[in-house]
Amino acid sequence: MFRYLLAVLGLLACVAPAAPAADRPPNVVLFFCDDMGYADVGCYGGKTPTPNIDRLAAEGARFTDFYASTAVCSASRAAILTGCYHRRVGIEGALPPKSKIGLSAAELTLPEVFKRKGYATGMAGKWHLGDAPQFLPTRHGFDEWFGVPYSHDMWPRHPANPKAYPDLPLMEGTAAAGGKEAVDTVLKLNPEPGELTAAVTARAVRFVDAHKSEPFFLYVPHPLPHVPLGVSPAFAGKTGLGLYADVIAEIDDSVGQVLAAVKRNGLDGDTLVLFSSDNGPWRLYGDHAGSAGPLREGKATSFDGGVREPFLARWPGHVPPGTVCKELAVTFDLLPTLAKRIGADLPADRTIDGKDIWPLMTGAAGATSPHEAYYVYWGGALQAVRSGRWKLHLGHPYQTPAPPGGGGKPGKYATRTIGVELFDLEADPGEATDVAAANPAVVERLQALAERAREDLGDAATKRVGKGVREPGRL
Ligand code: MG
């Protein structure tokens, strides 16, 4: 009988799922759009047809409660690339051209994690973590990059501040190697917005083809659908739903082209493809902004419309098709998650805020969020805390378009305030009904979590300096 039991157990061990990629670590492609709304793509309820992005969801995992670190470009990028809250690594807001600060050389970045394991690393898109030479992607782990060093509205054709910005460079660069210095070159000045998506896509496809025989990490932070909008001639009027929808359709086509390149090179089963965005829609631009669907507000606010993003993960044979995850996860979880998949160690001398979310991505039974709380900062101020289904706003001002602009021109912001208000995001994802009075114990618990964050990450609203905050890079 005992022998029989052992035999059965042995059989069970044989049919248990194999450990991921024991033979070959995966390639990783990370799409990170700019200012895309929660509901801009089909699989999140968007009206624009996005068959390629929807395919990532159908053939992989879709997260419903996935967050950026904060609702603005540079800070959000600092988080996804360092595995930390932007507050921890000292990057706030959207860095201007000729910024005197940038990503610190002391931080370990996602491409540097991949370099430790011998990967080829490339980037095509928008950087926005400092445009001085020492801050560029070639000094932060990318073998090569192509794109814009910051947002493409920071140029002499800005609709409201044309004199505020120098010419916008379209650049490429290669990292130091074989005794040669890093080289970053300006290819042209003031590229048309409508040429960016296609140019980024062409570089991404070229990178996949060039590195088909070795493990690679490809970061594709599309400069759009951030304003100013534009599309290739082939996408002009394509959706019949307006220019913004045409932009989304071209980004969807970009995902399709990269997936086709992966398949063409026989790499489907060896490639994890991830898709998300840095922050929610810039509603100030009216019809040139996306939609956060049922979520409140958008970019530059601490409401879910500003910080909750689409997140998709496809890796055939490893991420079960049609997986839906409703647990809370954050962009900064990708660094530790991917490090573990490729067998790279993380430094023990510093705090990394991200956690391994592989059990969530693969739909493991009973897997729950590794985060007791997610802290929503805006401009150094702690504005809200989410824990489980609950989100507590701590009392803060915010800006809302009143009225929004249109046709590529910004509207005007009005300042509003929200008090200490509690929302049940499961019942009320639009943060409309304050339930603080009915749930005093929940308010107290989330206030205590907020206090923990203030001690660690600081809080401009209560003039607290965080003990765990690190310096950005400085010129
Ligand atoms: Mg953005």
Side-chain angles (χ1 to χ4, degrees):
M1 182 64 190
F2 183 59
R3 225 183 246 179
Y4 170 75
L5 262 179
L6 276 183
V8 169
L9 285 173
L11 205 66
L12 282 175
C14 289
V15 296
D23 47 341
R24 185 195 190 286
N27 307 310
V28 176
V29 179
L30 171 57
F31 288 96
F32 200 50
C33 296
D34 199 340
D35 293 7
M36 178 177 271
Y38 185 77
D40 278 347
V41 295
C43 53
Y44 284 84
K47 290 195 193 92
T48 310
T50 52
N52 296 296
I53 295 167
D54 296 354
R55 224 183 105 198
L56 299 177
E59 298 176 359
R62 181 175 75 88
F63 281 53
T64 62
D65 291 55
F66 190 84
Y67 288 91
S69 174
T70 187
V72 68
C73 300
S74 296
S76 181
R77 281 147 214 275
I80 197 169
L81 288 181
T82 63
C84 292
Y85 277 104
H86 62 288
R87 287 280 309 151
R88 191 170 307 286
V89 297
I91 302 287
E92 298 284 357
L95 301 177
K98 306 192 193 310
S99 173
K100 295 212 164 20
I101 72 160
L103 193 58
S104 168
E107 296 298 340
L108 177 71
T109 66
L110 203 42
E112 285 166 347
V113 169
F114 283 103
K115 287 311 299 175
R116 287 180 168 194
K117 300 304 284 184
Y119 275 60
T121 56
M123 168 189 151
K126 166 175 130 174
W127 176 238
H128 217 175
L129 288 168
D131 60 326
Q134 62 264 51
F135 297 142
L136 289 173
T138 46
R139 325 300 162 105
H140 282 290
F142 286 106
D143 296 334
E144 59 178 87
W145 81 289
F146 165 83
V148 285
Y150 42 78
S151 298
H152 68 287
D153 69 334
M154 294 173 168
W155 70 331
R157 281 159 58 188
H158 190 284
N161 299 305
K163 294 202 172 125
Y165 301 111
D167 289 326
L168 169 74
L170 180 67
M171 302 179 67
E172 66 179 0
T174 50
K180 287 193 182 145
E181 304 266 300
V183 180
D184 293 289
T185 316
V186 175
L187 297 169
K188 69 192 285 191
L189 293 174
N190 302 321
E192 288 299 321
E195 67 186 84
L196 292 175
T197 302
V200 164
T201 304
R203 283 294 176 124
V205 167
R206 192 177 93 177
F207 184 86
V208 172
D209 287 337
H211 297 282
K212 62 186 175 192
S213 311
E214 59 186 329
F216 63 77
F217 169 60
L218 171 61
Y219 176 50
V220 190
H222 270 297
L224 281 82
H226 190 296
V227 292
L229 303 182
V231 289
S232 302
F235 286 85
K238 181 158 179 137
T239 63
L241 298 169
L243 178 56
Y244 189 87
D246 293 343
V247 168
I248 297 296
E250 187 164 17
I251 289 173
D252 180 71
D253 180 73
S254 170
V255 172
Q257 287 193 48
V258 172
L259 284 176
V262 166
K263 190 176 172 63
R264 182 171 69 239
N265 288 301
L267 299 172
D268 246 0
D270 297 313
T271 305
L272 170 60
V273 179
L274 306 167
F275 181 92
S276 195
S277 174
D278 68 336
N279 55 255
W282 203 354
R283 297 172 60 250
L284 189 67
Y285 278 85
D287 64 339
H288 280 211
S291 166
L295 308 179
R296 183 168 169 180
E297 294 290 336
K299 176 176 179 173
T301 76
S302 296
F303 294 99
D304 268 30
V307 286
R308 208 199 290 195
E309 298 303 327
F311 177 65
L312 307 167
R314 174 192 184 264
W315 183 10
H318 298 266
V319 176
T323 300
V324 175
C325 176
K326 298 184 172 176
E327 293 292 316
L328 188 160
V330 191
T331 52
F332 50 54
D333 294 326
L334 296 182
L335 184 140
T337 303
L338 298 174
K340 194 157 179 200
R341 298 280 81 62
I342 66 171
D345 291 329
L346 293 179
D349 63 345
R350 70 194 75 188
T351 302
I352 302 281
D353 293 295
K355 307 281 183 210
D356 182 8
I357 56 166
W358 185 244
L360 299 181
M361 273 193 211
T362 51
T368 54
S369 174
H371 298 288
E372 185 181 7
Y374 154 69
Y375 302 105
V376 196
Y377 277 87
W378 178 248
L382 180 60
Q383 295 195 330
V385 182
R386 177 167 178 184
S387 181
R389 68 194 294 170
W390 305 103
K391 184 171 171 189
L392 181 72
H393 284 264
L394 298 160
H396 60 82
Y398 65 96
Q399 293 196 302
T400 195
K409 290 195 164 53
K412 287 201 164 62
Y413 275 126
T415 301
R416 305 263 157 82
T417 56
I418 180 170
V420 176
E421 294 191 17
L422 180 73
F423 300 104
D424 175 356
L425 292 181
E426 265 178 37
D428 176 26
E431 297 169 83
T433 307
D434 174 23
V435 293
N439 298 279
V442 176
V443 173
E444 198 179 328
R445 185 173 71 82
L446 268 63
Q447 290 277 24
L449 287 168
E451 195 47 34
R452 216 191 281 175
R454 291 183 183 111
E455 201 160 295
D456 182 15
L457 293 167
D459 175 24
T462 54
K463 301 198 167 46
R464 299 280 291 279
V465 178
K467 287 181 188 149
V469 172
R470 304 195 286 261
E471 282 289 297
R474 294 185 194 278
L475 288 188

